[in-house]
Structure formats: C-alpha cells, structure tokens
Amino acid sequence: MAFVLHLLACIFGAGAWVAINGLWVELPLIVNELPEGWYLPSYLTVLIQMANVGPLFVTLMYKFKPGKLNEIYVIYFIIIVGIVASFLLGFFWRETTWVAGQIHSTAFLILTFFLSLVDCTSSVTFLPFMMQLQAQYMTTYFIGEGMSGLIPGLLSLIQGVGMVKCINITQSANGTPNVENSTLGQNEFETQYLPANFSVQVFLFLLSVMMVFCLVAFVFLTKLSKKENLNRSLLQSAVTLNSYSTSENLSEPSDQGHTDTQKQDEPSYVDTTSGTEVNKTTYSYGQYILIYFLTAWVNALTNGILPSIQTYSCMPYGNLAYHLSATLGSMANPLACLIAMFLPNRSPVVLVLLSLLGTGFGAYNMTTAVMSPCPILHDSAWGMALIVISWIFFIGTLSYVKVMIGVILRSQSHSALVWCGAVVQLGSMIGALVMFPLVNVYGFFKSADLCNTQCLS
C-alpha cells in the first residue's frame, strides 16, 4: 500500500506543472509556426501572471470563507480543465485571427491561459490536499513535481527540438544565395532548425495524456487517503487512550496538575508510521517570516528570473550545452527530492546556507547571460562544462530547499501549506515581472547566433 501511495503521489505531483513546462520546451518549434515569433515567450509570461487570479481567489476563500471551498472539487475541476485545454490545443494551436489590425494566434493564447490557470492554482490546492497523507508522501509529491519538467524535457530531446545545422551560404555577384562555396562573394552561414522526429500536435496530445494520468492518480489518492485517515484516527485514539490509562496508573493525584501542564506545554502528534506520540517542532514568528521569505526568493529565482535567461546563458557555449543544462537540470530536481527523503534537514540555518549557495550558482548563470554572446570561456570545453554544472547545482540545491520548506510547513497546519502555495506564486510572479522588461522591452540580453557569432579572444 505504501508503494502504491508513493507512486500515485508522484504521478499526481507530475501533473502540477507538466502543461506549461511542456509548452516552454516546445517553443523552438512553435515560434517558427505562429505569427508572434520569438515574442511568444513574452506573451506566455504575461498569460502565466494573469492566471494568478486562480490562486488569489482560492487563497482569499481560505482566508475569509474557511470551509466554504472544497479543495477536492477544485482539484477535480482544474485537472479536467487542463485535460480539455491541452487536448484542444493539439487541434487548434495553429489557428489565427485578426486582432487590432494584426494577426495573432488567438486559440493558442486563450488555451494557454487556461493551462496556466490550472498550473498556478495547483500550487494552492495540490499541496494542502497532501496534508491528508503522511509526511513521507510530501517528498514523493515534490519528486513528481520535478518530473513535470523532466518528462517534457526528455520528450523534447527524443523529438529533436531546437537541433540546428549551419548552412554555408555564399553571396554571389548578383546577390543570389548559393549553398556551394564560391570565391565570388563573402562566406556567410545561416542557422537552420532540423525537422522534428514527431509533430507539435503529437507532443500536445502527449501532454493531455499526462494530465489524464494525473486525474486517475488523484481519484485513487482520494479513496486511499480516506482509508488512511480512518486508520490514523483509530490509531491516534488507541495511543491517546493508552497514554491516558498509563498516566492514570502511574501518576499520583498530587502530580496530576503538573502532568497536565507539561502536556499542554509540549505539543505532540501521533506518528502513524511507528504508532508513537512525538513532540511537534514549533517555530517562532521570526522563523516563519524567514521560511516564507526563502520560499518567495527561491521560487523567484527558479520560476521567474533564471528560466527567462537560460538560452542567453547556455547558447553561446553551443546547442549541446543548452540541451544538457535543460535536461540534466530537470533531472537534478527529482534527485534533490530523493536526497531530501533520505537526508532531511529542517534547520533554518542550513536552508539559508543552501539558498545562498544556490543563489551563487544562479549569479554565475546570470553573469554568463549578461555577457552573451561572448561569455567567459565561451570557446572552451571547460566553459561548457562549468555552465552545465552550474545549472545542475543551481536547480538541485534550491529544489532541496523547496522540498524541506514544504515538509516543515506540512508539519504545522493546513493553512501554512495554503500560504506556502500563495507565496510560491507571488515569488514566481515578482521574478517574471522583473525580468520581462529587461528581456523583452529594453533588450538587455543579446542572443548568440551559433553559426555567425565571432568574439574577440
């Protein structure tokens, strides 16, 4: 039963962000077909931030109308919306209409908004639902959430997304391009994308199938969680009755008041794995502020700031460096969750140090992006190795921090996890809004042309 619950929790977590992560990795193919071109990522960023109306509504309902919103029904609703939207996207993603005198991919943008609404709202519904299961399944959920980036990344590698070749085009005397080398003109190279192994439509249908798996996993999780809650209640009643009987037999009447005071001063809960009563860790107001600040900061880096400049950071080192950074970085996420399962550390000091370490790797990645198209060691194998390793450790260390924060808040209360999800979205939104004008308005970052960029040594 434990193995089945772990598997279901992992599949359930994978459905949290699989749709939007899938669209991001598919962009190199999509932008060549839609009229927005390479401005499409900026549209996606705006749509994702608009979709935060979903988690905002859920959070306000939890705050001002507690008990009125059934999170299980909300989860069913958003997963079904995700299935329908991703399925329709496979048919209508190329459809365009005229809007304000310009042609736009209206169907793609509208359906992407609904997918963003699903994924953003999952942050404030999926996590609180996991409160119904034991703490050990929370880590498995985060492993699945990491898989929501890894699985689309692996599919894109199989598909051959973004693979390019350099075509030698020589400008002839009359100005017509000729692929064959010639001494009549100046040699130039043109970057051309290789055809994919399967279409964008097939990829979008695969995303829809993954959302179906998420729905099936959730159906079984709700049924099994009810059984587990019943067993937990019976076990807790037995432990409480046993503790009461033991204290009555062993305590003197004169010591009864002292015993009750001690029980009130040391909050405890029942560990359903061992069937024993253990002390519950309490945190001060300042520690809560620190934990939520780390949540916002880490998610701003991993979901908003660094993803928007990954191409500028990696592409100067070559197409291989970009794909290794994206794929191995996605693998680092579930690996960090596994490490958190076997080597957990809830110390706020350790989490702060790990956050600083991850921020350091992020700063190196940002530096290479700022220096694009000619970052340090751009023409060296050491440069490619360093950028790949930096992205792996950036994602890995901060993923560990996110998992441990989730475990800490899970041990506190249901509302703590709701606010955790809200802060996750807030941090991600701030990071994206900070980077949007720098990347898309002011052109602060310069892209590298793999075939024509020349840098001074």
Side-chain angles (χ1 to χ4, degrees), residues 15 43 127 141 150 174 231 248 254 261 267 281 295 302 330 436 456:
Y43 283 88
L127 274 176
Y141 168 83
L150 174 61
N174 60 6
N231 294 335
E248 282 233 327
S254 59
T261 304
T281 304
T295 302
T302 56
S330 299
F436 178 80
L456 296 177

Side-chain angles (χ1 to χ4, degrees), residues 236 263-271 277-281:
Q236 186 170 3
K263 286 182 181 179
Q264 293 175 359
D265 292 340
E266 296 180 359
S268 61
Y269 65 96
V270 175
D271 183 355
E277 192 172 11
V278 296
N279 289 335
K280 176 181 176 180
T281 304

Side-chain angles (χ1 to χ4, degrees), residues 187-400:
N187 286 336
E188 291 185 2
F189 291 90
E190 182 181 80
T191 303
Q192 291 187 359
Y193 286 93
L194 297 176
N197 295 322
F198 54 87
S199 67
V200 174
Q201 185 181 46
V202 172
F203 185 89
L204 294 174
F205 286 149
L206 290 175
L207 292 183
S208 181
V209 170
M210 284 185 261
M211 291 299 297
V212 171
F213 284 147
C214 176
L215 177 61
V216 173
F218 180 66
V219 170
F220 284 101
L221 274 179
T222 53
K223 295 181 181 297
L224 294 177
S225 65
K226 291 178 181 179
K227 294 182 180 180
E228 183 165 293
N229 286 334
L230 179 59
N231 294 335
R232 186 187 308 175
S233 299
L234 294 174
L235 178 59
Q236 186 170 3
S237 300
V239 171
T240 304
L241 182 60
N242 183 57
S243 300
Y244 179 76
S245 301
T246 304
S247 62
E248 282 233 327
N249 293 333
L250 297 181
S251 300
E252 294 294 331
S254 59
D255 295 332
Q256 187 66 36
H258 174 72
T259 304
D260 290 341
T261 304
Q262 185 178 11
K263 286 182 181 179
Q264 293 175 359
D265 292 340
E266 296 180 359
S268 61
Y269 65 96
V270 175
D271 183 355
T272 53
T273 303
S274 60
T276 58
E277 192 172 11
V278 296
N279 289 335
K280 176 181 176 180
T281 304
T282 57
Y283 296 91
S284 65
Y285 185 73
Q287 287 175 319
Y288 272 117
I289 293 178
L290 175 62
I291 289 172
Y292 282 117
F293 172 78
L294 288 180
T295 302
W297 174 253
V298 166
N299 283 278
L301 291 178
T302 56
N303 299 339
I305 296 177
L306 271 299
S308 61
I309 54 93
Q310 187 169 15
T311 52
Y312 300 99
S313 173
C314 301
M315 287 301 285
Y317 297 98
N319 197 61
L320 178 62
Y322 173 71
H323 278 282
L324 287 177
S325 299
T327 306
L328 296 181
S330 299
M331 293 181 181
N333 192 318
L335 179 61
C337 297
L338 284 175
I339 294 174
M341 178 181 293
F342 295 104
L343 296 174
N345 194 315
R346 303 188 184 191
S347 170
V349 175
V350 173
L351 296 183
V352 168
L353 293 176
L354 287 175
S355 299
L356 291 175
L357 179 63
T359 302
F361 287 115
Y364 178 79
N365 300 337
M366 179 63 73
T367 301
T368 58
V370 170
M371 298 176 67
S372 177
C374 300
I376 54 177
L377 299 175
H378 65 277
D379 55 352
S380 169
W382 285 105
M384 185 181 76
L386 281 176
I387 195 62
V388 172
I389 292 172
S390 180
W391 274 97
I392 291 173
F393 278 95
F394 163 73
I395 296 175
T397 52
L398 297 188
S399 294
Y400 181 92

